[in-house]
Amino acid sequence: MTRAVSLAAAIFTALAGGGFGLADELRPYQIAGGAIAVSLTGTPGDAARGRAIVVNRTVGLCLLCHSGPFPEERFQGNLAPDLTGSGARWSVGELRLRMVDSHKLNADTIMPAYYAVDGLNRVAPAFRGKPLLTAEQIEDVVAFLATLRGQ
Amino acid sequence: MTGSLPRCLIVAIALAACVASANGGDIPLDQRRSGYADLGRDTKAMQDDDTSNPATLWVLDGEALWNQKAGSANRACAECHGDATASMKGVAARYPAFDAVQKSPIDLEQRINLCRTERQNATPFAFESHELLALTAFIGRQSRGMPIVSTDEKLKPAIEAGRKLFMQRIGQIDMSCAQCHDDNWGKHLTSSLVPQGHPTGYPIYRLEWQNLGSLQRRLRNCMIGMRAEPFDYGAPEAVALEAYLMWRARGLPVETPAVRP
């Protein structure tokens, strides 16, 4: 019985595609000094995985609005700042807060909160209750952005 | 006179400032531009020449439907409305319009379907059906070059509701129409130039669709892109947003049927 339920949950999660089921909850975090100092997962992310998320236009979505040091990627957006040098401009904790919920820094920013499910309107059923990225994905992206130290 | 004029001016400026701040970033009237202005030369030529504009096929089908008897009333549009080049001139430029019977704003597609059910005793066309797009394109074509008009006081509540929807962040991506089309027009969302979003040419032939489509289809595209639940076709919210967009585009010329990437 329990196995059937967990199997169903696994299938549901797989179908939902985000790796984040409705039953999952966002991990708690603390904002201090314009940053989230502690990793959401308790461990550092993987920069190589983070890069893959950043350039993936249906997962990270970053290049829809941002451009950056991705010479192989055509058609990068310019609605938002260039990601080049992000790791030099911001600390890891500052990058984490910018990914988790940029609205905490600027209520009017067009940067979506990548790790929030509350306060949204008319979210399509397939995405309801799910953040844009999981805690693991956020950490991977933060780890990658921290490597962007060039000019 | 010299004493009172500056005072009037101060009040006027203060009022204007209030309105401007409440609106956020309305595009100044003289800075508005149709998406046409940013088309490539080939796409402009495609729109401008009826023989190369793919939407002409729909316009011609719409003309045939205009003259074709329909429904148990066995009556054609032309039997009541006569020559569309005269009777429909300027009509699309002022839709959505307030319908006294429905006591609500209706868009051109809904107007056509009301005529079908009320005057022709025919079944309404489905939204985005070839027939409805064809008739809408044919009627819209009669207003080509005429300025969009939005002066009916009875539309004010819908326009205000539409403005709120335009300003509201939606979807998992949590962005409003205004954040792109008021605040960031002219920049690029990947390869796409963000237009101001004036509905000057609907129904449009969109190259991405390889098809003609309505303004509501286009609005649904954006909403789905924001991972939001789109408005149902014909929903009051959708018509309110259309009414706001037409008010916002007031004075710009109708281009129907336009071609867009």
Side-chain angles (χ1 to χ4, degrees):
Chain A
M1 177 64 185
T2 318
R3 244 173 103 178
V5 169
S6 61
L7 181 64
I11 291 169
F12 178 83
T13 305
L15 288 175
F20 190 92
L22 286 174
D24 295 336
E25 282 187 14
L26 297 186
R27 316 226 178 129
Y29 57 83
Q30 286 194 331
I31 303 171
I36 300 173
V38 181
S39 163
L40 298 175
T41 61
T43 50
D46 179 295
R49 282 202 307 258
R51 188 186 197 280
I53 292 166
V54 167
V55 300
N56 188 318
R57 289 156 201 249
T58 58
V59 179
L61 313 166
C62 310
L63 300 191
L64 302 186
C65 293
H66 293 277
S67 48
F70 314 105
E72 79 284 12
E73 291 291 328
R74 299 181 69 201
F75 303 130
Q76 303 176 24
N78 67 354
L79 294 182
D82 194 302
L83 297 175
T84 305
S86 304
R89 284 196 294 281
W90 313 112
S91 71
V92 166
E94 287 169 337
L95 288 169
R96 187 176 289 114
L97 175 57
R98 279 161 176 76
M99 284 298 299
V100 166
D101 191 351
S102 249
H103 300 142
K104 295 280 194 328
L105 294 162
N106 171 9
D108 295 327
T109 182
I110 63 170
M111 170 82 179
Y114 274 78
Y115 199 63
V117 294
D118 293 328
L120 304 175
N121 303 303
R122 290 194 76 89
V123 178
F127 300 101
R128 235 168 258 167
K130 297 175 198 166
L132 274 160
L133 295 177
T134 65
E136 288 75 13
Q137 289 173 316
I138 299 267
E139 291 305 325
D140 291 344
V141 171
V142 168
F144 170 65
L145 294 176
T147 69
L148 299 180
R149 308 190 66 84
Q151 300 200 335
Chain B
M1 181 70 186
T2 45
S4 64
L5 189 62
R7 203 163 161 181
C8 288
L9 269 177
I10 289 164
V11 172
I13 291 165
L15 274 173
C18 279
V19 170
S21 65
N23 294 351
D26 273 8
I27 301 167
L29 288 183
D30 62 355
Q31 287 178 32
R32 290 171 313 153
R33 56 197 277 130
S34 160
Y36 177 86
D38 299 307
L39 295 179
R41 202 170 55 181
D42 290 349
T43 315
K44 277 183 180 166
M46 190 188 284
Q47 172 172 317
D48 292 340
D49 179 0
D50 283 346
T51 62
S52 67
N53 187 333
T56 299
L57 299 170
W58 280 261
V59 173
L60 294 174
D61 284 350
E63 183 174 19
L65 284 167
W66 180 265
N67 292 303
Q68 185 179 304
K69 290 179 186 296
S72 61
N74 200 34
R75 191 183 287 158
C77 309
E79 289 175 50
C80 286
H81 296 288
D83 178 4
T85 59
S87 66
M88 292 296 115
K89 197 174 170 59
V91 169
R94 57 178 176 78
Y95 266 77
F98 191 84
D99 184 72
V101 179
Q102 305 285 316
K103 296 190 175 61
S104 68
I106 56 171
D107 63 16
L108 193 53
E109 285 88 344
Q110 290 173 315
R111 176 72 263 164
I112 291 167
N113 269 336
L114 276 173
C115 263
R116 279 188 66 80
T117 54
E118 304 298 317
R119 310 286 177 216
Q120 297 176 304
N121 295 328
T123 52
F125 294 126
F127 286 105
E128 303 306 301
S129 62
H130 181 82
E131 292 88 347
L132 188 55
L133 290 169
L135 264 174
T136 311
F138 173 66
I139 293 167
R141 180 71 180 79
Q142 312 311 321
S143 298
R144 201 177 221 195
M146 299 179 71
I148 289 171
V149 178
S150 179
T151 52
D152 188 348
E153 288 292 320
K154 295 191 288 298
L155 284 177
K156 284 282 159 63
I159 291 171
E160 199 42 50
R163 174 198 287 280
K164 288 206 176 85
L165 293 168
F166 192 81
M167 304 295 167
Q168 185 185 45
R169 291 164 169 265
I170 54 167
Q172 190 195 35
I173 295 186
D174 198 28
M175 280 179 68
S176 69
C177 312
Q179 285 180 306
C180 271
H181 301 290
D182 274 350
D183 302 343
N184 281 295
W185 60 269
K187 295 184 185 168
H188 281 85
L189 186 75
T190 73
S191 63
S192 305
L193 187 77
V194 177
Q196 292 184 351
H198 298 299
T200 48
Y202 285 88
I204 60 168
Y205 187 87
R206 197 171 185 216
L207 301 173
E208 183 185 317
W209 294 335
Q210 295 283 296
N211 205 346
L212 206 68
S214 70
L215 175 55
Q216 290 200 20
R217 178 175 177 188
R218 187 65 193 82
L219 296 176
R220 288 169 59 91
N221 276 185
C222 264
M223 295 181 81
I224 291 165
M226 291 304 109
R227 300 183 176 175
E229 191 171 16
F231 301 131
D232 290 335
Y233 281 108
E237 293 95 331
V239 179
L241 191 49
E242 289 180 298
Y244 173 66
L245 291 173
M246 288 294 272
W247 174 82
R248 187 171 167 269
R250 63 198 181 283
L252 295 178
V254 173
E255 298 168 44
T256 304
V259 178
R260 292 290 184 272

